[in-house]
Amino acid sequence: MDYSILIADDNESIRCILTDTLEKEGHSIFSARNGKETVDLLRSKPIDVILLDIIMPDANGLDLIETLQEINSTASIIILTAHGTTQIAIKAAKRRAYDYITKPFDISAVTELVARAANAANQTKQTIAEQERKQSIDTVDAKYQIMGESPAMHVVFQIIGRAAILDETVLIMGESGTGKELVARAIHQNSRRAEASFVIVDCSAIPSNLIETTLFGHVKGAFTGADADRQGKFKQADGGTIFLDEVGELPTEVQMKLLRVLQEREIEPVGSDATSQIDVRVIAATNRQLDLAIQNGTFREDLFYRLHVVPIYLPPLRERKQDIRDLVDSFIRRFAREYNLPEVSISPEVYEVLMDYDWPGNVRELENALKRALVMCSGHVLLLEHFPQFLESKVKSVTIEDATFGTQLHAMIKERVDEYIESERTDGLLYTEIRASFEKALFEIVLNRTGWNRSKAAELLGINRNTLHSKMEEYKIKGDR
């Protein structure tokens, strides 16, 4: 395809070489000898790619990038430099240049890079044109906004509205990353308690020996180290709402005390015989199947029914893919404001990939993927190249899909052994290192698949929970629940 290329370099030989090379590729070439000519040409010509020298008589190429982007926001800028240092690469990326190449350069590398940059510029123009044809989108901050037009989410919104006007206990069920905390916030913000406290407790993140005092507080002298009275989370939430995230992880003895709070609306701090009344709305959430936990004896049936007054089921993202486009648009606008970045669009190819993916990490995984893509993006459109995880998964599926698990495992171990032997190491740690590598990967994968539910992960692995905990400590496994 014929693209317009602007070569901005004060070296006539370089301009001639690049012009000859790129004209043979069918591109239209324009040349500039300094910063002023570069700016003037960009104002008068529809340029797709700018090859910009870092040092010119009247300008520094890096400092010129912002001006050029203001004139033509879709052109891809490639920095030309004789000093290919890490610092230059970082500076170019910070100024949102497409890429950089060092002199003397390989001609084939230049043509390949220009082709990619031109294609990116073309996709940017097409996507921006499409966006301009659309109706403008509301830019209200959506940090705590729940997005979704799917039938499943309409049901969720209806229950939120009804639950907000009541004061009953709510149990939100769904996989990790589906937005359970957002639902809890929405209920609180639309209730009569909206002006009072909204206190969050992640029950899975608090050690079992501290969960009781965290929830209910303690009095001075209750145990070693209790040097003063401490107010618990329930007391902090008095008059407002307490959100018990991953309530299925509570130890059974604490479950019994929580049941009493729900029944009597009073708390008893650790080490005290006195109780005090509280006025708290309880919203709980879990990614566990509590009916199975009840059968296994790890969750109290009577507590389940106390929590299950108003149940809300949050569907995983793979069951409401029609919401992905709205979620993406909302995240992109919010991140642009939070990080002071220009708003970007999404290419059609990226939307296709996002829609095809099953999102095991749900909305949280989508949110993080977009954050990473924005960091990688140097232009005004997110392209497939900004989502390397999807490209890598495609390559892996092609290269190893026909190999058996045993074959793959044997090949990986053989590679590690060969590296160890070639390094002439004599520390005797080969077995320890290989075992640790595979054990750590196994535990991380199982924990991710079970939503970081340690009881479920231990059951799946066929080990007890204490062993799993020890292994997580040994391998410093810390996950995002």
Side-chain angles (χ1 to χ4, degrees):
M1 184 178 289
D2 179 17
Y3 290 108
S4 298
I5 315 295
L6 171 56
I7 302 170
D9 196 305
D10 62 333
N11 189 312
E12 185 177 359
S13 297
I14 290 178
R15 293 200 307 272
C16 290
I17 293 171
L18 291 175
T19 297
D20 291 343
T21 300
L22 297 173
E23 280 182 343
K24 289 176 183 177
E25 297 292 322
H27 302 308
S28 300
I29 308 300
F30 301 91
S31 295
R33 296 168 297 179
N34 53 49
K36 183 180 184 304
E37 287 185 6
T38 302
V39 170
D40 291 342
L41 269 168
L42 195 61
R43 292 187 191 278
S44 60
K45 305 291 182 182
I47 301 297
D48 298 305
V49 177
I50 305 169
L51 293 168
L52 182 63
D53 188 20
I54 197 170
I55 299 176
M56 290 186 288
D58 61 344
N60 179 296
L62 291 174
D63 295 337
L64 199 58
I65 290 176
E66 186 175 346
T67 300
L68 301 181
Q69 288 175 334
E70 288 175 358
I71 299 170
N72 184 335
S73 61
T74 63
S76 297
I77 300 175
I78 299 172
I79 291 293
L80 303 175
T81 175
H83 310 284
T85 65
T86 302
Q87 196 59 35
I88 288 174
I90 294 172
K91 288 180 179 179
K94 285 175 67 175
R95 289 163 172 79
R96 307 182 75 80
Y98 181 81
D99 208 335
Y100 81 105
I101 193 163
T102 57
K103 304 173 186 177
F105 36 72
D106 179 75
I107 291 299
S108 61
V110 173
T111 55
E112 181 184 341
L113 181 56
V114 167
R116 286 195 288 111
N119 182 56
N122 185 49
Q123 290 187 54
T124 299
K125 285 190 287 188
Q126 290 179 356
T127 307
I128 288 176
E130 178 64 25
Q131 289 294 109
E132 289 175 349
R133 286 194 291 268
K134 293 180 180 179
Q135 185 178 5
S136 60
I137 301 170
D138 180 23
T139 58
V140 175
D141 186 7
K143 185 173 183 179
Y144 297 123
Q145 184 179 354
I146 312 169
M147 304 294 298
E149 293 294 332
S150 60
M153 290 306 295
H154 280 183
V155 172
V156 171
F157 296 147
Q158 288 178 341
I159 300 176
I160 288 174
R162 293 168 185 166
I165 61 176
L166 303 173
D167 214 21
E168 297 294 342
T169 304
V170 176
L171 178 61
I172 307 168
M173 295 164 286
E175 296 178 6
S176 292
T178 49
K180 297 186 286 293
E181 182 183 326
L182 293 182
V183 171
R185 284 184 181 276
I187 294 171
H188 172 74
Q189 290 169 354
N190 289 279
S191 73
R192 67 176 180 82
R193 301 175 182 267
E195 301 301 319
S197 299
F198 178 74
V199 176
I200 301 172
V201 182
D202 184 351
C203 301
S204 64
I206 304 171
S208 56
N209 61 323
L210 296 179
I211 187 67
E212 186 175 357
T213 183
T214 299
L215 289 174
F216 311 115
H218 63 250
V219 297
K220 181 179 180 180
F223 49 83
T224 303
D227 300 326
D229 292 354
R230 176 183 173 181
Q231 195 178 68
K233 297 292 185 180
F234 269 94
K235 193 64 176 178
Q236 292 172 22
D238 198 10
T241 303
I242 189 169
F243 174 51
L244 302 177
D245 196 11
E246 300 306 341
V247 70
E249 299 301 312
L250 285 176
T252 51
E253 62 271 17
V254 179
Q255 291 177 30
M256 185 174 180
K257 199 161 185 179
L258 174 60
L259 179 63
R260 179 180 177 184
V261 173
L262 294 173
Q263 291 173 334
E264 308 297 335
R265 296 294 164 178
E266 62 182 25
I267 58 171
E268 182 179 310
V270 175
S272 173
D273 295 328
T275 61
S276 59
Q277 293 290 315
I278 54 168
D279 173 25
V280 175
R281 167 74 173 282
V282 177
I283 301 177
T286 182
N287 63 13
R288 296 183 63 185
Q289 292 180 285
L290 292 184
D291 53 343
L292 297 180
I294 292 170
Q295 293 176 20
N296 296 333
T298 58
F299 200 82
R300 295 179 62 101
E301 187 174 16
D302 48 4
L303 176 58
F304 172 77
Y305 288 117
R306 279 287 179 179
L307 295 171
H308 200 257
V309 180
V310 181
I312 298 178
Y313 170 70
L314 271 181
L317 189 54
R318 62 182 174 275
E319 293 180 7
R320 57 182 188 105
K321 287 191 174 181
Q322 66 199 83
D323 293 333
I324 287 178
R325 187 174 290 268
D326 286 341
L327 286 166
V328 169
D329 290 344
S330 175
F331 286 142
I332 292 299
R333 294 196 306 275
R334 174 157 67 86
F335 297 154
R337 291 194 297 275
E338 287 181 358
Y339 305 139
N340 195 28
L341 295 172
E343 286 198 23
V344 299
S345 303
I346 314 290
S347 72
E349 291 82 2
V350 169
Y351 270 124
E352 287 182 15
V353 172
L354 298 184
M355 294 296 288
D356 286 342
Y357 186 57
D358 274 343
W359 300 107
N362 293 297
V363 179
R364 184 186 297 130
E365 184 182 3
L366 173 62
E367 182 179 11
N368 290 335
L370 291 168
K371 283 182 180 179
R372 288 193 295 271
L374 282 172
V375 171
M376 301 295 293
C377 181
S378 60
H380 293 267
V381 174
L382 291 182
L383 307 173
L384 195 54
E385 65 187 62
H386 301 133
F387 295 84
Q389 64 271 43
F390 296 119
L391 295 174
E392 289 169 6
S393 65
K394 287 185 177 181
V395 171
K396 288 177 183 176
S397 68
V398 171
T399 55
I400 67 172
E401 62 183 357
D402 294 328
T404 65
F405 173 75
T407 303
Q408 296 173 42
L409 189 60
H410 184 276
M412 285 187 287
I413 294 176
K414 182 179 182 299
E415 182 178 353
R416 291 291 296 275
V417 171
D418 289 343
E419 290 175 356
Y420 186 91
I421 293 173
E422 290 171 6
S423 67
E424 299 182 350
R425 288 172 55 184
T426 58
D427 51 16
L429 295 176
L430 178 60
Y431 169 76
T432 301
E433 290 180 1
I434 290 179
R435 178 181 62 83
S437 297
F438 286 97
E439 275 197 342
K440 182 178 182 182
L442 174 62
F443 291 134
E444 287 177 336
I445 290 168
V446 171
L447 284 163
N448 269 308
R449 285 287 292 168
T450 57
W452 291 87
N453 184 316
R454 298 187 184 189
S455 298
K456 192 181 296 183
E459 181 180 351
L460 188 62
L461 288 163
I463 61 178
N464 64 50
R465 183 168 169 153
N466 288 337
T467 301
L468 176 60
H469 179 74
S470 298
K471 290 293 185 182
M472 291 176 69
E473 291 287 332
E474 179 183 349
Y475 298 133
K476 296 181 172 58
I477 298 174
K478 295 180 181 179
D480 184 2
R481 298 174 179 82

